[in-house]
Amino acid sequence: MVITNQVAIYVRVSTEEQTKGYSINAQLEELRAYAASQQLTIYREYIDAGYSGKSIGERPAMQELLSDTAQRRFSTVITWKLNRLTRSHIDQLRIFAIFKKEQINYVSLTEQFDYSTPQGAFALQMLGSIAQLEREQIAENVRLGLQKRSQQGLWNSGNNVLGYEWISRTGIEPHVRIVPFEAELVRMIFEKYRNGNGLRSITSQLNNAGYMTKRNRLFSTAGVRGILTNVNYIGYIRYTAHQKFSDETNESKQIIQGTQKPIISMELWNEVQKLLKQRSQSKTKFISRNYPLTGLMKCPLCGNGMVPARNRSMRNNKSIRMNHYYACGKYRNKGSSVCKPNYIPALTIESAIFHRLQQMLLENTFLNKIVTRVNRLNRNTYEKQLKQLETTKIELRKLEKQQQRCFELFEEGHIEYLELDEKLHALKNNMNILVSHKQQTESKLSDIERKTISLKEVRQTIKELFQAYQLVDADKQKSLLRGFIKSIVIPQDRDVAGVQIYTTAALKHLTI
């Protein structure tokens, strides 16, 4: 039950809007005054300070407001302006759908309209579209502003780059400066790579030593590569340039001299870029191979998905052999500080899983379940069609009796020939329709009888399915396995005999 005199006040302001008269205190002051003048009780003030109107999903106070709306803790929501609720037209429609469902009123203090009327709903739609246009224009202005700063070599990365920090305090000219201990860490990463350490090795060393990223997280191989390719460290700025050619926008990455001091020497930078290019090209020489169990297998220690891994070894005849494995994805990305590699030979585990799956699907108990289920469905359909056939036959017999009665009435002189002919014609049309239905139903029954399957037929079909698996491409092989397997749990001793396969809902979550 909605409490009729209780209202909710919602205010929002983004960081940029603080200077444009939209401040939290200014909004609250006017909304409180309005509630007092209307003798309304304020249930709660919902405040999102420093949040953009782009999306409602990331605003905590908005989520609390919608939660309380669903519980009807108030009768009306009041904002200073519609765009305080949202600048997204889609989000606006969602919010007002919730308000309408829960019979919650809405008041915009500076925009007078009744959204419960057709005219008010139209005005609401127009204001929502204008708010979204304003947001998009603001975003475009910000993008253009950042692009202009970048073209001038000015810092645009805030405090997101390891080794630098952005200083912006009252009374001080905004500027970027080097953070000494972070800069030393960056130099160490570059030196390690130049000295032969790979991305995974460096990542593992950093995490084992307790180093953290700029956002106080563990390092990853992608993050380390990002550091090694960041031109900020040699005093440059990278930005996206937009050039228009006949109504089409062409985006290209541009590099320009920045205002920040470099952390890495040009000599070290060039050596590292050369190594990155060489090692990247060498990967293309690896033998391509399909890893169908990727993502299905879970690490025995951390439970993370296992991913492809490979290395080379020397045969007795001095030829190179490529060894293929599955390894913990978390280890591959962040190193030994988070987990162990837990390598499992790819061919061994794939053969074991394929054999176990084949055994399970060809096992008599499982096959009998399939046969029983399919035949039961066929039987149910058969019974329905049989009932329909009996109903059709009964209707036909009724029409035949009516036809006979017409002849009797004509012979007894109760109806004329023209009336007899008209009645017989109508009866014949109806009988033709029923005869057609009868023939269709009989054909369906015959088809169902032929569809009754045996254990032998199901077994042969599944065998053919496994034979076809070897011939289809990698994507289809993965799709086929994911149709049967939900996850594969590896025991801690990594003994293939102890592997557990959990099947999908299609197989009723059977555990092998």
Side-chain angles (χ1 to χ4, degrees):
M1 186 72 181
V2 179
I3 304 174
T4 55
N5 68 333
Q6 296 261 52
V7 298
I9 286 177
Y10 178 79
V11 295
R12 178 191 64 79
V13 66
S14 64
T15 305
E16 294 80 6
E17 291 170 334
Q18 287 281 9
T19 60
K20 299 180 181 180
Y22 295 122
S23 72
I24 293 294
N25 290 335
Q27 293 180 56
L28 286 174
E29 185 177 342
E30 293 194 38
L31 293 170
R32 288 167 182 165
Y34 172 81
S37 68
Q38 301 297 315
Q39 298 182 334
L40 299 171
T41 302
I42 299 174
Y43 168 74
R44 180 181 164 186
E45 295 172 349
Y46 299 83
I47 302 172
D48 275 323
Y51 287 91
S52 166
K54 179 180 179 180
S55 172
I56 61 176
E58 299 177 357
R59 286 187 262 154
M62 171 56 73
Q63 294 304 311
E64 292 173 6
L65 172 71
L66 295 177
S67 176
D68 289 344
T69 296
Q71 299 180 47
R72 299 189 178 185
R73 297 186 182 277
F74 39 77
S75 62
T76 304
V77 174
I78 308 174
T79 66
W80 183 67
K81 203 172 183 179
L82 176 63
N83 64 18
R84 298 303 87 198
L85 273 181
T86 180
R87 287 184 181 273
S88 166
H89 192 51
I90 292 177
D91 283 343
Q92 176 192 302
L93 295 175
R94 292 172 181 166
I95 291 171
F96 280 93
I98 295 172
F99 286 175
K100 184 175 182 180
K101 178 184 176 182
E102 305 301 339
Q103 299 179 338
I104 303 296
N105 297 319
Y106 169 71
V107 173
S108 170
L109 192 60
T110 59
E111 301 154 332
Q112 299 300 321
F113 57 86
D114 181 1
Y115 84 94
S116 64
T117 66
Q119 295 85 354
F122 176 74
L124 183 72
Q125 295 273 353
M126 292 301 296
L127 289 170
S129 299
I130 292 170
Q132 178 159 339
L133 178 61
E134 288 176 347
R135 178 180 65 78
E136 291 171 353
Q137 288 177 333
I138 291 171
E140 178 65 11
N141 291 338
V142 170
R143 187 191 64 78
L144 291 174
L146 290 174
Q147 183 180 340
K148 187 174 181 180
R149 281 182 56 85
S150 295
Q151 289 172 340
Q152 297 171 350
L154 299 176
W155 188 259
N156 268 332
S157 299
N159 284 311
N160 294 321
V161 179
L162 187 70
Y164 293 102
E165 67 175 336
W166 177 249
I167 307 299
S168 178
R169 292 197 294 266
T170 305
I172 299 177
E173 182 70 21
H175 64 284
V176 62
R177 71 181 182 189
I178 291 176
V179 182
F181 73 92
E182 291 184 4
E184 284 301 319
L185 179 57
V186 171
R187 294 188 191 99
M188 182 180 75
I189 292 171
F190 272 80
E191 290 288 354
K192 283 182 177 294
Y193 195 81
R194 179 170 66 173
N195 293 334
N197 290 269
L199 297 176
R200 194 173 303 113
S201 174
I202 295 172
T203 302
S204 184
Q205 292 175 52
L206 293 173
N207 291 333
N208 285 331
Y211 291 112
M212 304 296 282
T213 67
K214 193 73 172 180
R215 296 186 178 182
N216 203 36
R217 297 174 182 172
L218 291 172
F219 281 91
S220 66
T221 53
V224 171
R225 173 176 280 277
I227 290 172
L228 295 173
T229 56
N230 191 339
V231 297
N232 292 158
Y233 296 128
I234 52 173
Y236 283 81
I237 298 290
R238 179 182 279 118
Y239 69 96
T240 302
H242 297 260
Q243 299 175 339
K244 291 186 178 180
F245 300 97
S246 63
D247 299 331
E248 292 186 4
T249 301
N250 178 44
E251 296 187 358
S252 59
K253 292 291 184 181
Q254 302 288 338
I255 296 177
I256 193 170
Q257 182 69 52
T259 58
Q260 79 277 13
K261 293 181 180 180
I263 291 176
I264 301 300
S265 69
M266 190 60 70
E267 179 187 0
L268 177 57
W269 170 267
N270 288 334
E271 287 185 38
V272 167
Q273 303 315 302
K274 184 178 179 180
L275 286 172
L276 282 168
K277 186 177 180 180
Q278 288 174 348
R279 293 174 183 177
S280 175
Q281 288 175 342
S282 66
K283 289 183 179 180
T284 61
K285 298 178 183 178
F286 286 160
I287 300 171
S288 60
R289 185 188 191 278
N290 176 30
Y291 292 82
L293 303 182
T294 301
L296 291 176
M297 283 179 31
K298 305 302 177 184
C299 173
L301 294 184
C302 69
N304 205 65
M306 300 192 78
V307 298
R310 55 201 170 194
N311 61 31
R312 296 186 233 188
S313 61
M314 188 78 71
R315 294 189 179 95
N316 292 332
N317 61 2
K318 305 301 181 181
S319 63
I320 300 297
R321 178 178 61 192
M322 188 66 67
N323 303 305
H324 300 275
Y325 302 91
Y326 288 91
C328 173
K330 203 170 183 179
Y331 163 81
R332 297 279 291 176
N333 189 36
K334 296 186 177 179
S336 59
S337 64
V338 294
C339 197
K340 295 180 180 179
N342 295 310
Y343 292 119
I344 297 179
L347 185 59
T348 302
I349 188 65
E350 288 165 3
S351 298
I353 296 300
F354 193 80
H355 179 68
R356 295 267 296 280
L357 185 62
Q358 193 172 24
Q359 275 187 322
M360 188 275 287
L361 294 179
L362 292 174
E363 198 270 326
N364 282 343
T365 303
F366 181 77
L367 292 178
N368 281 324
K369 287 183 180 180
I370 296 177
V371 171
T372 302
R373 184 177 299 178
V374 172
N375 287 338
R376 184 189 299 123
L377 290 173
N378 284 337
R379 186 167 59 252
N380 291 340
T381 305
Y382 186 88
E383 290 174 355
K384 289 179 181 178
Q385 293 294 329
L386 195 60
K387 288 181 180 179
Q388 185 174 337
L389 178 61
E390 290 302 319
T391 301
T392 303
K393 288 180 177 179
I394 291 171
E395 293 299 320
L396 271 173
R397 286 196 289 269
K398 287 181 180 178
L399 292 179
E400 288 170 355
K401 288 181 179 180
Q402 291 178 27
Q403 190 180 52
Q404 183 63 35
R405 181 57 180 160
C406 286
F407 283 117
E408 292 174 355
L409 291 173
F410 174 72
E411 290 174 355
E412 294 171 359
H414 295 295
I415 59 174
E416 298 292 335
Y417 176 78
L418 290 176
E419 186 176 356
L420 172 66
D421 184 61
E422 182 179 339
K423 287 180 179 293
L424 291 176
H425 182 72
L427 288 170
K428 185 177 180 181
N429 286 337
N430 290 335
M431 290 176 71
N432 287 337
I433 293 173
L434 288 175
V435 168
S436 176
H437 285 172
K438 176 175 173 289
Q439 291 172 346
Q440 291 176 10
T441 304
E442 288 173 341
S443 177
K444 289 178 181 178
L445 286 169
S446 178
D447 288 341
I448 293 172
E449 287 177 345
R450 287 196 299 268
K451 287 179 180 177
T452 300
I453 62 172
S454 66
L455 188 67
K456 181 180 179 181
E457 290 172 326
V458 174
R459 186 186 299 277
Q460 182 59 34
T461 300
I462 292 179
K463 284 182 178 179
E464 291 173 358
L465 179 65
F466 279 104
Q467 290 171 357
Y469 173 87
Q470 308 293 344
L471 303 176
V472 299
D473 59 43
D475 289 337
K476 290 181 179 178
Q477 285 184 352
K478 288 181 179 180
S479 298
L480 182 61
L481 287 179
R482 279 156 180 73
F484 292 121
I485 300 175
K486 181 180 180 182
S487 63
I488 302 168
V489 177
I490 308 296
Q492 291 195 3
D493 61 6
R494 285 178 284 157
D495 182 3
V496 173
V499 168
Q500 284 188 309
I501 303 175
Y502 292 90
T503 58
T504 61
L507 300 180
K508 287 190 171 182
H509 297 287
L510 296 172
T511 302
I512 307 173

